[in-house]
Amino acid sequence: MKKVYVDNSSTSFPKAPGVSDVIKEFIDNVGCNVNRGGYKDSFDVGLEIVRARQLISDMFHVADPQEVVFTPSVTYSLNMLLQGYLKKGDHIITTSMEHNSVMRPLHALFQRGITYDIARCNNDGSLETDSITPLIRNETKAIIMLHASNVCGTVMPIEEVAELCHKNGHKLIVDAAQTAGILDIDASKIDALAFTGHKGLLGAQGIGGFVIKKEFAKKIAAIIVGGTGSRSNMFEQPDMLPDKFESGTMNIPAILGLKKAIEYIKSVGTNQIFKKEMELTSAFLSMVHEIEGVHIIGKKDISD
Ligand SMILES: Cc1ncc(COP(=O)(O)O)c(C=O)c1O
């Protein structure tokens, strides 16, 4: 029987065409590291990684590919951003729809004297944007929120929240785990946007990252240091992007796979991908609606 896979919010399957081929080709026939040796293979792979950064910066409308940082996953990205930015006495606002990739770091930071408040969301998962302003304090440094809920798919008004943040001088950090590769995301007004490579971006597990404004990156301490291959004569972590946040040998096979996947997404177009997802969602909702006793959490209809 043909397999029907319905766990795409957890990780997508199948991956984009060609992803496994480039990963296998690299492991079987290339295999070298980057930024650590001066020979042709290493330079060639380094160039492919630069091209991967370029594709990601284009995808999120970010001007400079150096503002693209690779990490193992969105969970790592969110931890690096939150733990590197917030200091004792600071306050941050989040929403009641967050994944534990945000709530657990916030809870851990609370033990270190960093407080947070939670903006309300409605039963359909939508944000009550008006509930943010009363939570703002003198100590508030940022808002962190997801772009779409992993529970019910509701998309959050990040553009509206970005305006509110910038009016008040706060940073906006967005968790785009569920939307990267599916919606056209303009990160030019977002201070940092974290993504994961293995969901809508159709790459392998073990790769993710964030795009970050240079000015914001200066305010974030690197919580993992060493092993960059650059400026090896220094004890201090390099402060330039992306090296500041890319400690240790990177997951090169998965980056090359992600590059292939993004080339595929570009060739199809996020508009088409979104349209197809909405057709499937609509068919799913209309069918589960018929089942007695099923209670739908989130939007009942895609036109809502
Ligand atoms: C909204 C959201 N944030 C974060 C994550 C964590 O993703 P990863 O396991 O790739 O770090 C998920 C995964 O389901 C998610 O849906």
Side-chain angles (χ1 to χ4, degrees), residues 171-243:
K171 301 295 181 195
L172 176 62
I173 304 171
V174 172
D175 167 4
Q178 291 295 342
T179 51
I182 295 156
L183 292 177
D184 181 18
I185 306 174
D186 182 356
S188 61
K189 294 195 177 60
I190 297 167
D191 299 284
L193 179 126
F195 61 90
T196 207
H198 67 100
K199 296 183 195 271
L201 288 173
L202 304 177
Q205 287 89 343
I207 191 67
F210 56 88
V211 293
I212 186 161
K213 294 247 171 307
K214 273 201 193 70
E215 288 311 305
F216 187 33
K218 283 186 195 151
K219 296 183 191 303
I220 300 182
I223 58 167
I224 303 165
V225 294
T228 65
S230 57
R231 303 206 177 151
S232 298
N233 57 324
M234 289 165 46
F235 281 129
E236 292 82 22
Q237 181 78 349
D239 58 3
M240 77 255 193
L241 282 175
D243 304 36

Side-chain angles (χ1 to χ4, degrees), residues 9 73-75 78 99 101 146 148 150 175 177-178 196 198-199:
S9 303
S73 71
V74 74
T75 303
L78 294 164
H99 192 271
S101 296
L146 43 64
N150 54 299
D175 167 4
Q178 291 295 342
T196 207
H198 67 100
K199 296 183 195 271

Side-chain angles (χ1 to χ4, degrees), residues 82-193:
L82 287 169
Q83 297 194 42
Y85 181 48
L86 297 169
K87 297 182 187 65
K88 193 171 177 183
D90 287 348
H91 173 253
I92 184 164
I93 297 170
T94 191
T95 84
S96 59
M97 290 305 291
E98 300 307 306
H99 192 271
N100 65 30
S101 296
V102 166
M103 292 317 296
R104 287 200 185 135
L106 290 187
H107 181 71
L109 286 169
F110 182 71
Q111 319 297 318
R112 295 190 231 150
I114 291 141
T115 52
Y116 62 89
D117 274 301
I118 301 177
R120 275 192 316 271
C121 293
N122 298 309
N123 282 347
D124 66 3
S126 59
L127 176 68
E128 283 188 34
T129 317
D130 291 348
S131 73
I132 295 178
T133 306
L135 302 176
I136 296 173
R137 301 191 207 156
N138 288 342
E139 305 77 41
T140 305
K141 289 287 178 317
I143 296 182
I144 181 159
M145 63 188 290
L146 43 64
H147 190 195
S149 159
N150 54 299
V151 176
C152 55
T154 307
V155 178
M156 299 296 195
I158 51 170
E159 300 80 7
E160 207 184 320
V161 179
E163 264 179 43
L164 183 72
C165 278
H166 298 145
K167 195 175 82 191
N168 295 310
H170 305 141
K171 301 295 181 195
L172 176 62
I173 304 171
V174 172
D175 167 4
Q178 291 295 342
T179 51
I182 295 156
L183 292 177
D184 181 18
I185 306 174
D186 182 356
S188 61
K189 294 195 177 60
I190 297 167
D191 299 284
L193 179 126

Side-chain angles (χ1 to χ4, degrees), residues 38-105:
Y39 53 97
K40 187 175 178 311
D41 274 2
S42 178
F43 291 141
D44 287 349
V45 177
L47 204 57
E48 285 297 283
I49 292 177
V50 169
R51 290 190 183 121
R53 282 190 217 282
Q54 180 77 57
L55 279 168
I56 293 169
S57 59
D58 287 350
M59 174 173 244
F60 296 130
H61 307 274
V62 168
D64 186 350
Q66 286 189 313
E67 294 180 341
V68 176
V69 172
F70 288 114
T71 69
S73 71
V74 74
T75 303
Y76 273 78
S77 302
L78 294 164
N79 270 272
M80 288 164 78
L81 293 165
L82 287 169
Q83 297 194 42
Y85 181 48
L86 297 169
K87 297 182 187 65
K88 193 171 177 183
D90 287 348
H91 173 253
I92 184 164
I93 297 170
T94 191
T95 84
S96 59
M97 290 305 291
E98 300 307 306
H99 192 271
N100 65 30
S101 296
V102 166
M103 292 317 296
R104 287 200 185 135

